[in-house]
Amino acid sequence: MVNIAIFASGGGSNALAICTYFENHPNIKVSVIITNKPNAGVIGVASKFNIPSYIIGKKNMEDGSLIAILENNKIDFVILAGFLLLIPTMFVRQFENRILNIHPSLLPAYGGYGMYGHFVHEAVYKNKEKISGMTIHLVNEKYDEGRIIFQAECALDVHDKPEQIAEKVLKLEHKYYSQTIENYINSFVS
Ligand code: GRF
């Protein structure tokens, strides 16, 4: 069995889609959920699926205690789903090529420091883009710069406000993230 950990800071709709997809999966299991926000929606997802969850702080990312949680739970891959803390270098090295992130734009456009959540969709809106989309990529020491694994795009309508853009992109995320995780893990372990 390949064990994965989901890291999320927010609403947790991607975490919900991933847990649903991998429930009863033959070789991939969501074994741990990590959040840095005590009131994050993802804690509810963890209890719905009976998955142990841990609330951590920035300090735990650097002092080895988060790594210890992952080691105790034999975690093979880390899946970031709206996790807002920077992943420290030591952590990236330990899980080299085994951390995936999802970003709500067509990277390299609208990526980098400060480009997350609604800031991305507002910038896309202001620039009157005709398409947007999402990117799944490996995580390295810099925000949003690891190797791209998968992208999907959506057409934007002239009337789409940032909220509608966000909705369209989130739909793509729910549709493709789990499948991409599965394909990546299976190609990696086979
Ligand atoms: C998603 O748009 C994802 O691309 C970004 O954070 C958002 C998380 O949404 N990294 P949710 O918490 O999964 O609903």
Side-chain angles (χ1 to χ4, degrees):
M1 195 53 96
V2 174
N3 293 307
I4 66 179
I6 298 176
F7 287 25
S9 306
S13 70
N14 276 289
L16 176 63
I18 296 166
C19 290
T20 307
Y21 187 91
F22 289 110
E23 201 182 16
N24 307 318
H25 191 277
N27 71 307
I28 298 171
K29 181 178 174 205
V30 180
S31 299
V32 168
I33 291 186
I34 303 285
T35 186
N36 61 319
K37 294 263 159 79
N39 55 356
V42 75
I43 294 176
V45 175
S47 47
K48 176 173 155 75
F49 286 86
N50 235 338
I51 297 167
S53 62
Y54 298 84
I55 299 165
I56 55 118
K58 193 163 178 277
K59 172 172 94 22
N60 307 113
M61 311 262 318
E62 283 149 15
D63 65 6
S65 53
L66 176 57
I67 296 266
I69 294 173
L70 301 184
E71 282 175 353
N72 291 341
N73 287 280
K74 300 191 167 32
I75 297 302
D76 303 294
F77 289 85
V78 170
I79 306 302
L80 308 183
F83 188 65
L84 295 178
L85 296 181
L86 182 66
I87 306 295
T89 303
M90 171 192 101
F91 194 99
V92 172
R93 296 214 174 120
Q94 177 128 0
F95 280 88
E96 205 181 354
N97 294 324
R98 292 186 295 131
I99 310 175
L100 290 179
N101 184 39
I102 191 160
H103 186 83
S105 75
L106 294 169
L107 289 175
Y110 305 102
Y113 186 73
M115 272 294 166
Y116 62 90
H118 66 101
F119 296 110
V120 174
H121 306 302
E122 276 155 18
V124 167
Y125 172 73
K126 274 197 196 124
N127 287 341
K128 302 188 176 24
E129 298 286 2
K130 295 199 170 52
I131 58 165
S132 191
M134 62 87 170
T135 302
I136 297 166
H137 64 93
L138 292 176
V139 171
N140 63 16
E141 288 96 335
K142 303 219 176 110
Y143 275 110
D144 306 328
E145 287 186 19
R147 176 159 70 84
I148 291 173
I149 305 288
F150 183 85
Q151 291 187 301
E153 59 182 52
C154 53
L156 302 181
D157 186 273
V158 279
H159 306 296
D160 285 341
K161 298 271 181 286
E163 296 71 40
Q164 279 85 47
I165 301 173
E167 243 171 64
K168 286 183 174 177
V169 172
L170 198 59
K171 227 182 238 173
L172 291 177
E173 298 187 20
H174 295 164
K175 181 165 179 200
Y176 292 114
Y177 201 11
S178 305
Q179 217 172 292
T180 305
I181 293 166
E182 181 181 40
N183 292 342
Y184 182 74
I185 290 178
N186 285 337
S187 71
F188 197 99
V189 297
S190 64

